Amino acid sequence: MTRKSLPLSEVYRLLEPGPVVLVTTSKRGRANVMAMSWHTMIEFEPPMVGCVISNRNYTFEVVKSTRECVISIPTLELAKQVVGCGNTSGQKIDKFKKFGLTAAAASCVQAPLIEECYANFECRIVDVRMVNKYNFFILEVVKAWIDRSQKDPITIHHRGKGYFMTAGETIKLSSRMK
Amino acid sequence: MTRKSLPLSEVYRLLEPGPVVLVTTSKRGRANVMAMSWHTMIEFEPPMVGCVISNRNYTFEVVKSTRECVISIPTLELAKQVVGCGNTSGQKIDKFKKFGLTAAAASCVQAPLIEECYANFECRIVDVRMVNKYNFFILEVVKAWIDRSQKDPITIHHRGKGYFMTAGETIKLSSRMK
C-alpha cells in the first residue's frame, strides 16, 4: 500500500460514480466498519458528502456521538469482505479481525483507515438536521488518501438482492462539467 | 420502447449503483432536461431520493416552483446526448429538440418521460428544508416505468472532467442486504 495524499478537490471524482463504500468508526478504542451505498456528493470543495446510515445499524449511534468516520472505497478483490461487513453487526463481532481488514491510523479522526482500500476519506459530521427524519448525515471530508499504484480500480456498485455491478471501461467525452 | 410499470419497491435497485441520470421538468408547457450525478436513495418504500440541483441551473427554479420532475436513466447509447444536456442551458435552448430526445406523457406529473431512456421515475418534491443551504431536494418516486427489453443496460457513471465509467459485468454474492 502506497498511500498518498489526494487533493480534496478530487474527492468527488471517486464518489460520484456511486461505488459501495465502507464506513469505519471508532469508539473507546473499538473500531468497526459497515458497508454503505446510499451516499451522494453535496459540495465540491470542501468536499461534502450526504449519506444514509440506518438507525438499525450499530454505526448509527457511534457516528452520532463521535461525529467522525472514514469512508473507504473497496475494489472487486474485497467484494467478499464487503458483503461480510454488510451481513454482520459490529455490536457482536470485531469485523476487522473477522474479515482480515487492516486498520491504519488516520491523521485527523479517531476512526481508522482501511489499509486494503485504494481510497480513504477522513470525515467529520457537519450537519445532523436530517438525521431524525431520514437517518441522513452530512459529512465534510477533511483529509483524503489514495493508493495511486491501483491504476484502474474496479469498484463495485450495489444493485440489491446480492447483485453487484462492477466498474467497466472508462470513456472520455467532451463534457464541460466539472 | 416497451414501457412497463415497475413496482416502486424495485426503484432503489436502479439508482443505487450511481448512474448519471437525466432530470426532466415542465413549466407552462415548456419541457426541459438536465444531467445529474449527485443523487442517493433515502428510503426504500415509498422510494425517496435525495439530490443536489445547483441553483445555477435553470432546472432549480422550475423544480422549486412546480415541485415535480422525472428522473430518467440513460444508457451508453445516449452518452453524447447526456453530455449535450450537461453542457447547455434550458434557459437558452429546447434540449429535447436539439438532442433528439422524445418527450412522452407521464401519468402523475407534468414533467415528461424520455422515450429513449430505459427507466423513468415520476417524482414529487416532498422536502425542501435543505434547499437553501445545500441545493438538496428530497423527492418521492410516485410512479416508475421500465423497458424490460433492455436486458443489461450499460449505464454511465460520472468520474469528472469528461470521464465516464461504464457499467461492467454484474456479479452475484451472498449478500443478505435488501
Side-chain angles (χ1 to χ4, degrees):
Chain A
M1 164 63 73
T2 333
R3 192 161 45 232
K4 292 265 165 45
S5 184
L6 174 76
L8 293 177
S9 58
E10 295 288 304
V11 164
Y12 79 97
R13 304 189 64 190
L14 282 76
L15 288 179
E16 230 176 280
V20 175
V21 298
L22 295 172
V23 177
T24 82
T25 48
S26 176
K27 193 169 185 180
R28 294 189 207 101
R30 187 164 175 275
N32 187 40
V33 50
M34 66 169 270
M36 177 173 81
S37 279
W38 288 14
H39 59 80
T40 178
M41 290 305 299
I42 296 276
E43 187 51 88
F44 286 109
E45 205 175 356
M48 297 215 284
V49 178
C51 64
V52 176
I53 297 173
S54 166
N55 56 16
R56 293 183 305 268
N57 286 336
Y58 173 70
T59 294
F60 179 83
E61 286 298 339
V62 179
V63 166
K64 242 181 109 170
S65 62
T66 63
R67 294 196 157 233
E68 289 181 355
C69 65
V70 168
I71 293 177
S72 305
I73 310 185
T75 46
L76 183 55
E77 298 75 30
L78 293 171
K80 279 186 181 171
Q81 287 96 316
V82 170
V83 167
C85 288
N87 285 347
T88 53
S89 171
Q91 198 146 31
K92 294 176 189 162
I93 62 162
D94 177 343
K95 298 201 211 178
F96 277 89
K97 196 172 167 188
K98 169 101 176 166
F99 301 112
L101 297 171
T102 313
S107 66
C108 302
V109 299
Q110 295 294 316
L113 313 178
I114 300 178
E115 195 75 32
E116 289 80 7
C117 286
Y118 84 100
N120 283 278
F121 303 149
E122 304 182 22
C123 301
R124 289 215 180 92
I125 312 315
V126 292
D127 199 322
V128 294
R129 278 181 295 163
M130 302 299 256
V131 170
N132 283 348
K133 188 155 188 192
Y134 301 109
N135 297 331
F136 188 75
F137 293 85
I138 297 187
L139 323 174
E140 180 182 330
V141 179
V142 292
K143 180 72 198 165
W145 302 97
I146 193 163
D147 174 7
R148 293 207 189 271
S149 73
Q150 299 213 31
K151 281 300 166 214
D152 282 300
I154 301 178
T155 48
I156 58 177
H157 301 249
H158 194 230
R159 295 184 59 183
K161 303 183 180 175
Y163 291 94
F164 293 82
M165 180 269 280
T166 60
E169 219 180 318
T170 287
I171 58 173
K172 177 89 167 72
L173 297 167
S174 59
S175 171
R176 291 196 292 267
M177 304 293 286
K178 189 169 185 178
Chain B
M1 163 63 71
T2 335
R3 193 162 43 232
K4 293 266 166 46
S5 184
L6 175 75
L8 293 178
S9 57
E10 295 288 304
V11 165
Y12 78 97
R13 304 189 64 188
L14 281 76
L15 288 178
E16 230 176 281
V20 175
V21 298
L22 295 171
V23 177
T24 82
T25 48
S26 177
K27 192 169 185 179
R28 294 188 207 99
R30 188 165 175 275
N32 187 40
V33 50
M34 66 170 269
M36 178 172 82
S37 279
W38 288 14
H39 60 80
T40 178
M41 290 304 300
I42 296 276
E43 187 51 88
F44 286 109
E45 204 174 358
M48 298 215 284
V49 178
C51 64
V52 176
I53 297 172
S54 166
N55 56 16
R56 292 183 306 267
N57 286 337
Y58 174 68
T59 295
F60 179 83
E61 286 299 338
V62 180
V63 166
K64 241 180 110 171
S65 62
T66 63
R67 294 196 157 234
E68 289 181 355
C69 65
V70 167
I71 293 177
S72 305
I73 311 185
T75 46
L76 182 55
E77 297 75 29
L78 293 171
K80 278 187 181 170
Q81 287 97 315
V82 170
V83 167
C85 288
N87 285 347
T88 53
S89 170
Q91 199 147 30
K92 294 176 189 161
I93 62 162
D94 176 343
K95 297 201 212 178
F96 278 89
K97 197 172 167 189
K98 169 99 175 168
F99 301 112
L101 297 171
T102 313
S107 66
C108 303
V109 300
Q110 295 293 315
L113 313 178
I114 300 178
E115 195 75 32
E116 289 80 6
C117 286
Y118 84 101
N120 283 278
F121 303 148
E122 304 182 23
C123 301
R124 289 214 180 93
I125 312 315
V126 292
D127 199 321
V128 294
R129 279 181 295 164
M130 302 299 256
V131 170
N132 283 348
K133 189 156 187 191
Y134 301 109
N135 297 330
F136 189 74
F137 293 84
I138 296 186
L139 323 173
E140 180 183 331
V141 179
V142 292
K143 179 73 198 164
W145 301 97
I146 193 163
D147 174 6
R148 293 207 189 271
S149 72
Q150 298 213 32
K151 281 299 165 215
D152 281 301
I154 300 177
T155 48
I156 58 177
H157 301 249
H158 193 228
R159 296 185 58 184
K161 303 183 181 176
Y163 292 94
F164 292 81
M165 180 269 279
T166 60
E169 218 181 317
T170 286
I171 57 173
K172 178 90 166 72
L173 296 167
S174 58
S175 171
R176 291 196 292 267
M177 305 293 286
K178 189 170 186 178

